[in-house]
Amino acid sequence: MPRTIARYLGLILLGVALSMGVPASAAAPDAPAQAKPLPTQVSKEGQVTVQVTPLMPSAARGAWRFEIRFDTHVTPLDQDLLAAGVLVDAGGKQYRPLAWEGDPPGGHHRKGVLVFGSIDPPPRSVTLKLRRIGSVPERSFTWTLPAP
């Protein structure tokens, strides 16, 4: 019986701490640490620099989101990113993007988020491929994901 009471008190204290804005890791030291964010990758091929940052550090349930920045001083950035992008899992299955949340086509600087649906079960790695950006036929950005 005392263990049950202690567990309930611990949950109550955790709830109070969270409601006060204390991070769960500080409020509950036994809680698992958050996964490290996946690194940003950069492609400087051709006349366009492309920088990609995964916004979802693990492939847990939910949409896969990639922040993408394009930079050039030579050619307009007028690609349709829904047609140019594809996400490939470790088994080779391809996923088309659902949305581009960012700057419209044109200009020499462009940024936004390319959104894909969830992948279940989460793969061990993913590769974001962007086709025909600048004079480069295909750019690939690959991340190995932490074990669940």
Side-chain angles (χ1 to χ4, degrees), residues 22-84:
V22 176
S25 59
D30 294 336
Q34 279 190 325
K36 289 174 53 175
L38 296 174
T40 297
Q41 294 186 26
V42 178
S43 167
K44 294 183 178 184
E45 297 177 76
Q47 300 172 335
V48 179
T49 298
V50 180
Q51 177 179 315
V52 181
T53 305
L55 297 180
M56 187 172 179
S58 71
R61 316 271 182 252
W64 288 73
R65 302 169 59 82
F66 297 88
E67 180 181 66
I68 305 174
R69 295 175 179 267
F70 302 94
D71 186 33
T72 183
H73 293 286
V74 179
T75 183
L77 299 167
D78 57 3
Q79 294 81 12
D80 174 0
L81 294 170
L82 293 179

Side-chain angles (χ1 to χ4, degrees), residues 53-144:
T53 305
L55 297 180
M56 187 172 179
S58 71
R61 316 271 182 252
W64 288 73
R65 302 169 59 82
F66 297 88
E67 180 181 66
I68 305 174
R69 295 175 179 267
F70 302 94
D71 186 33
T72 183
H73 293 286
V74 179
T75 183
L77 299 167
D78 57 3
Q79 294 81 12
D80 174 0
L81 294 170
L82 293 179
V86 65
L87 188 63
V88 183
D89 68 19
K93 185 173 179 185
Q94 297 187 3
Y95 303 85
R96 303 298 312 166
L98 302 176
W100 168 252
E101 300 170 349
D103 296 334
H108 293 277
H109 307 282
R110 193 172 174 197
K111 67 179 178 178
V113 176
L114 195 58
V115 181
F116 295 84
S118 64
I119 301 174
D120 192 29
R124 291 292 304 136
S125 67
V126 292
T127 299
L128 176 64
K129 293 184 179 187
L130 298 173
R131 296 183 180 112
R132 296 176 298 283
I133 304 295
S135 60
V136 179
E138 182 176 277
R139 300 170 196 247
S140 292
F141 305 88
T142 300
W143 294 270
T144 299

Side-chain angles (χ1 to χ4, degrees), residues 7-29:
R7 185 173 23 201
Y8 287 126
L9 285 175
L11 290 174
I12 290 169
L13 290 174
L14 175 61
V16 169
L18 292 175
S19 70
M20 295 174 59
V22 176
S25 59

